[in-house]
Amino acid sequence: MRLSEIGGVGVEQANAATNSSPIPGWKQYVVPSRPARDPRFFACRFYWPDIVDPNYPYGEGIQLQLRSAISHLNEVWAIEAGGIILSSFADVLPWEWIYNSARWTYDESRHCRMGYERLMSWGLDPAEIPLGTYIYESASGQDPIYRLGMLYFFETKNIRHKPGRTQLFHSYGDQLSEHDMDFDWADETLHASYGKHWLKELLGLRGKDPEAHDRVRQRCGELVTEFVSRATPDEIAEIRHAATALLAKAAARCSLGGSI
């Protein structure tokens, strides 16, 4: 309706909009405190036991292959964060911000898709695959700068592990996981530079010391730790059970001559 009022989509100059009243049935958008999740998957807050139990190993072999794919799938939170920060700062940061944050969001979408496709290629049932919310929820209710900080925190937290995992996948003959992890490592190097640069820009615009960007990063780590500390015994038991079942299924596929 409003599009037709200004002459529709075309290359000619648009008509001036004269009607500024709300569109019938409109709803004001509010960033949700808890994100929606695809109901085909196992909805949870914490998507793997090592998140809530520091003694649970990240693992090697099948466990590493599965854990890495689960982690990539769960980068859905980073897609959500990317979209939120793009919108939140579009009016205060320059065009370069729009370009960088859109690229960042697209890259995270690719990572999520990579994990999904690996899990599906291994014949796993989405209903058994955990899809969590804890990182997104850790920044809920905070200034949007902490969603940018959360992305920066996780980009820099695990990047040092990626080259070694890429080499391990190569040694397993798992070319798909090797390819995806190598892409992930390259993207994270770029994303870490985005996080640092734009945190400094935002802090400067707010009249604060741009070099305090690492304090934002540290605070994000604290927010995650605080949120994880609230995991319930039932949640911990549930995600352990889900991980055990997935690992057993993956091991059975290998024993039958399948691949993971």
Side-chain angles (χ1 to χ4, degrees):
M1 179 175 68
R2 291 295 164 79
L3 186 60
S4 63
E5 289 177 4
I6 62 172
V9 178
V11 295
E12 303 297 331
Q13 183 174 352
N15 298 330
T18 57
N19 186 353
S20 59
S21 61
I23 295 173
W26 78 285
K27 293 182 180 180
Q28 183 175 1
Y29 176 72
V30 177
V31 174
S33 58
R34 192 171 195 273
R37 287 290 176 262
D38 188 325
R40 293 176 301 161
F41 292 84
F42 163 41
C44 56
R45 293 199 298 174
F46 310 100
Y47 58 80
W48 205 249
D50 56 24
I51 295 167
V52 290
D53 180 1
N55 295 316
Y56 190 94
Y58 207 94
E60 294 185 0
I62 291 173
Q63 187 162 334
L64 178 61
Q65 291 168 282
L66 187 58
R67 176 64 175 89
S68 296
I70 293 284
S71 181
H72 275 149
L73 174 71
N74 275 274
E75 288 190 27
V76 64
W77 78 268
I79 307 168
E80 295 158 339
I84 292 169
I85 60 175
L86 190 161
S87 175
S88 297
F89 304 127
D91 294 334
V92 296
L93 290 173
W95 167 251
E96 186 185 4
W97 161 253
I98 306 279
Y99 181 81
N100 286 170
S101 56
R103 162 67 188 270
W104 201 345
T105 306
Y106 169 80
D107 289 346
E108 301 298 353
S109 301
R110 185 174 64 219
H111 298 171
C112 179
R113 184 72 188 185
M114 290 189 313
Y116 171 78
E117 289 182 352
R118 295 209 302 283
L119 292 164
M120 294 302 98
S121 73
W122 296 334
L124 300 176
D125 181 356
E128 299 176 308
I129 297 171
L131 197 55
T133 61
Y134 85 100
I135 302 176
Y136 180 101
E137 290 189 81
S138 295
S140 291
Q142 303 293 322
D143 184 310
I145 198 172
Y146 289 102
R147 292 205 183 271
L148 172 56
M150 200 66 75
L151 280 164
Y152 181 46
F153 172 74
F154 278 96
E155 300 287 12
T156 54
K157 176 175 179 286
N158 297 317
I159 193 170
R160 68 186 186 279
H161 301 300
K162 302 300 173 69
R165 289 172 186 163
T166 302
Q167 292 173 4
L168 283 172
F169 294 142
H170 180 79
S171 71
Y172 304 156
D174 182 355
Q175 294 181 344
L176 186 56
S177 294
E178 177 189 0
H179 169 275
D180 289 355
M181 188 60 70
D182 201 30
F183 257 92
D184 187 4
W185 173 81
D187 285 344
E188 286 191 350
T189 303
L190 177 63
H191 298 165
S193 70
Y194 286 167
K196 182 177 181 178
H197 174 76
W198 292 112
L199 279 173
K200 293 175 74 171
E201 289 292 317
L202 279 169
L203 289 168
L205 285 172
R206 295 179 177 193
K208 298 182 179 181
D209 180 8
E211 296 308 315
H213 64 87
D214 207 48
R215 179 64 194 118
V216 176
R217 179 187 178 279
Q218 291 169 11
R219 178 57 184 151
C220 288
E222 294 166 2
L223 290 170
V224 171
T225 299
E226 290 166 8
F227 194 89
V228 170
S229 72
R230 300 197 290 272
T232 67
D234 285 347
E235 284 179 303
I236 296 171
E238 188 175 45
I239 193 56
R240 275 186 165 274
H241 176 76
T244 298
L246 282 172
L247 287 165
K249 180 171 284 189
R253 281 182 55 83
C254 286
S255 70
L256 293 172
S259 63
I260 180 170

